[in-house]
Amino acid sequence: MENNIVRLAQCGDVGAFNSLVETYKKELYAIAKSRLKIEADVEDAVQETLFCVYKDIWTLKNESYFKTWVVKILINNCNDIISDNNASILYFDDTAIERVEDDSDEYYKMERNQDFFDMIDFLTNEEKAIMIMRFSQDFNISEISNVLNIREGTIRMKILRIKEKIRNRYENQ
């Protein structure tokens, strides 16, 4: 279904593009917020990403990689902002996930995500990025590998080490 919407957006259907934006805007915001410290930078990164996607969506060769492609653009935009501002790469606070009071299932999911963010706050920047993509955004190993430009085997090994690091930290508390 989503592949059809992506194809329509590639053909210039503004409604289809808006539908994609609605589908991913909260995820994009959460990812940007997890990487950037300043709210204005978060908004700039998301806006710039959506502009780039709108402008270049026709270049996407395989619509099933749309989400990976968009997140990679977002991360690159965040990294550009970090370089420009000399900001820290990853930062979490209570507003990392916008709460939606009128939808209890979504509110529960966001609360669970905030607990997850709190749990991984002690990790390095790269470790946080991997864990967020894998366990909060449900990226597969291949998608994480593509976004971070790290070999799949290395991603698998890093996930094992990160899990062990988390386990050791919370067993010793």
Side-chain angles (χ1 to χ4, degrees):
M1 176 72 164
E2 181 176 288
N3 288 353
N4 293 335
I5 296 171
V6 172
R7 274 187 227 111
L8 288 171
Q10 286 179 306
C11 293
D13 186 326
V14 175
F17 181 79
N18 288 338
S19 175
L20 291 169
V21 168
E22 286 302 312
T23 301
Y24 291 109
K25 74 178 179 181
K26 286 182 184 176
E27 279 184 68
L28 294 175
Y29 178 85
I31 292 168
K33 185 66 176 177
S34 74
R35 297 185 65 82
L36 300 168
K37 189 181 207 177
I38 301 167
E39 185 65 29
D41 289 342
V42 172
E43 292 172 9
D44 287 347
V46 172
Q47 260 187 346
E48 180 64 23
T49 298
L50 293 175
F51 174 73
C52 290
V53 169
Y54 183 76
K55 181 177 63 114
D56 296 331
I57 194 167
W58 63 273
T59 65
L60 181 64
K61 291 176 177 59
N62 185 341
E63 34 309 301
S64 61
Y65 291 117
F66 178 77
K67 181 178 178 181
T68 304
W69 180 67
V70 172
V71 170
K72 190 168 190 170
I73 293 169
L74 176 66
I75 288 175
N76 287 336
N77 285 331
C78 289
N79 290 342
D80 289 345
I81 290 170
I82 289 166
S83 294
D84 291 345
N85 294 345
N86 230 357
S88 62
I89 291 176
L90 284 166
Y91 176 81
F92 295 97
D93 66 14
D94 292 337
T95 60
I97 300 292
E98 179 182 321
R99 288 179 168 70
V100 178
E101 302 287 340
D102 60 341
D103 187 342
S104 60
D105 288 341
E106 190 160 339
Y107 181 76
Y108 171 75
K109 181 179 178 186
M110 290 178 190
E111 283 292 315
R112 194 178 71 218
N113 279 344
Q114 187 59 48
D115 291 342
F116 173 74
F117 288 161
D118 292 342
M119 180 183 74
I120 66 170
D121 192 45
F122 74 98
L123 297 173
T124 67
N125 295 334
E126 180 182 76
E127 291 169 339
K128 286 178 188 177
I130 290 170
M131 295 301 282
I132 289 167
M133 283 187 271
R134 180 71 177 127
F135 298 106
S136 179
Q137 303 299 324
D138 297 323
F139 277 53
N140 64 39
I141 300 296
S142 177
E143 291 170 328
I144 297 169
S145 173
N146 288 335
V147 169
L148 297 179
N149 293 321
I150 300 173
R151 291 186 0 213
E152 289 183 28
T154 304
I155 296 293
R156 284 188 190 90
M157 183 57 66
K158 285 181 182 281
I159 289 173
L160 290 174
R161 288 183 182 150
I162 295 166
K163 285 180 177 180
E164 184 64 26
K165 191 174 181 179
I166 291 170
R167 191 172 11 262
N168 288 338
R169 177 177 176 100
Y170 290 105
E171 283 177 356
N172 295 330
Q173 283 188 349

